[in-house]
Amino acid sequence: MPEIITQSIQDYLKHIYELNEHGGSASTNDLAARLNIAPASVTGMLQKLASSKPALVVYKKHQGATLTKSGEKAALEVIRHHRLLETFLVTTLGYSWDEVHTEADKLEHVISEDFEARMAEALGNPTRDPHGELIPTADLTMPADKSRPLASLRTDETATIQRVNSRDPNLLRHLDELGLIPNVQLEVIAHSTFDNNLTIKSGRKTHVLGLNITTKIFVI
Amino acid sequence: MPEIITQSIQDYLKHIYELNEHGGSASTNDLAARLNIAPASVTGMLQKLASSKPALVVYKKHQGATLTKSGEKAALEVIRHHRLLETFLVTTLGYSWDEVHTEADKLEHVISEDFEARMAEALGNPTRDPHGELIPTADLTMPADKSRPLASLRTDETATIQRVNSRDPNLLRHLDELGLIPNVQLEVIAHSTFDNNLTIKSGRKTHVLGLNITTKIFVI
DNA sequence: TATAAAATTTAGTCTGACCTAAATTTTATT
DNA sequence: AATAAAATTTAGGTCAGACTAAATTTTATA
Ligand SMILES: [Mn+2]
Ligand SMILES: [Mn+2]
Ligand SMILES: [Mn+2]
Ligand SMILES: [Mn+2]
């Protein structure tokens, strides 16, 4: 019930945050799937997080969980660590963007605030990680994001890739090969009504991308 | 009983290794003191480590523990991580040598072999950490060390500091201020029979050092 | 709107890693 | 060698964070 935010709790909070971003509250099953933990165990943890002092989540039976202010701070803390680490791994150790998630997922829980500060400093206080995702600020607020999914564009629309919201190494490697990475410009050449495929042109290359890809790429 | 070497076990093995280096086997109490764990708990863990397959320690009731071959490999693995991390923190993030122990103590358990390899590469495969301690090789053998404690020198002897065997930040900061760091040359000016103080000259400075310091500094 | 399917919770266990208190053994000192 | 002190082990917990199996509740579908 006290103030100890374990590694395990950090993971719960991080995933609740991400689920809250999309739909409303994070469901037991979605959390269980993401955390690779049995749904029954998730219920138990949510009950604990909801009744801790201070409460980290708001939890109503059968209705999933949302973060309280303290819960959100704790989540942003972990997410800041994660995204700074990813950036650090890429720029100082030559990792590629598809390799950093796994490593950051472990390191994020153990680095000190000093380590965090030194990284941020060394990297020039970056605002986005290698996938283009926003890095929470040092005072733990998440900057606003105005990007929209590539999937929502239609023929003749033009845009710039801002972030790729996926941790699937295969997808990331694939996109890297196609040159579809943050800051790259593209134009929608065609949209297929039936399967929602988009034909896009980027540089001198043209690609036909399915929903599985176009919902993961966010543009501006 | 199986092959899972938890964070906790890694800590036990690391400390058993260090205790084995000095005297013979690592006693329950010494381990308890170093690990900040009750002696009774240490006994329990030693019994487990001794009866795991493969056994990680050799343990005889009331006679402490030594490492088996597998135990030693696992220990050297952690120590290599630790010392590479310390070096990395100093050279890429500007840590000072008194700050690195704490951070490395947490990171050593979670970095991947890939991370280890990238660090070693980036640092040019260093053989010693910032304190001058030897870094186990990539194939997990510990290079031989021929240094002897500064405390064993007598008047007129001359030597070079090779390593400082302490994790006490205050001592490390103090030595840093005195300029007594690895690779620095020194000469013993006097030895006091009663308290074993040594008067040493290094550069143009002279210091009188007690046993508490001279047993921590190793020279060659 | 009944009923089947899916989601979620409850109940009961387990394991790792710790703890304290009470033996027991070893070691040191007279 | 007897006895006191120190070291170590045994016995009997606790606690976090999982799990499975069996309810229960909600949601979807006929
Ligand atoms: Mn932080
Ligand atoms: Mn990322
Ligand atoms: Mn390693
Ligand atoms: Mn060191």
Coordinates of all heavy atoms in Angstrom, one line a residue, chain B residues 77 80-81 112-113 116 140, ligand 3:
Chain B
E77 N 30.8 -13.1 -15.3 CA 29.9 -12.4 -16.2 C 29.3 -11.1 -15.6 O 29.4 -10.1 -16.2 CB 28.7 -13.4 -16.4 CG 27.6 -12.9 -17.3 CD 27.9 -13.1 -18.8 OE1 28.5 -14.1 -19.1 OE2 27.7 -12.1 -19.6
R80 N 32.2 -8.6 -15.2 CA 32.6 -7.9 -16.5 C 31.6 -6.8 -16.8 O 31.9 -5.7 -17.2 CB 32.6 -9.0 -17.6 CG 32.9 -8.4 -19.0 CD 33.2 -9.4 -20.0 NE 33.1 -8.9 -21.4 CZ 34.1 -8.3 -22.0 NH1 35.3 -8.1 -21.4 NH2 33.9 -7.8 -23.2
H81 N 30.3 -7.2 -16.6 CA 29.3 -6.1 -16.9 C 29.5 -4.9 -16.0 O 29.5 -3.8 -16.5 CB 27.9 -6.7 -16.5 CG 27.4 -7.7 -17.5 ND1 26.1 -8.2 -17.5 CD2 28.0 -8.3 -18.5 CE1 26.0 -9.1 -18.4 NE2 27.1 -9.2 -19.1
S112 N 22.0 -6.6 -21.9 CA 22.1 -7.8 -22.7 C 23.6 -8.1 -23.1 O 24.4 -7.2 -23.0 CB 21.3 -7.6 -24.0 OG 21.9 -6.6 -24.8
E113 N 23.9 -9.2 -23.6 CA 25.2 -9.5 -24.1 C 25.6 -8.6 -25.3 O 26.7 -8.3 -25.5 CB 25.3 -11.0 -24.5 CG 25.2 -12.0 -23.4 CD 26.2 -11.7 -22.3 OE1 27.4 -12.1 -22.5 OE2 25.8 -11.1 -21.2
E116 N 26.7 -5.4 -23.8 CA 28.1 -5.6 -23.3 C 29.1 -5.5 -24.4 O 30.1 -4.8 -24.4 CB 28.1 -7.0 -22.6 CG 29.6 -7.4 -22.3 CD 29.7 -8.9 -21.9 OE1 28.7 -9.4 -21.4 OE2 30.7 -9.5 -22.2
L140 N 35.2 -14.7 -20.4 CA 35.1 -14.9 -18.9 C 36.2 -15.6 -18.2 O 36.1 -16.6 -17.5 CB 33.8 -15.7 -18.7 CG 32.5 -15.0 -19.2 CD1 31.3 -15.8 -18.9 CD2 32.4 -13.6 -18.7
Ligands
MN3 MN 27.8 -10.7 -20.3

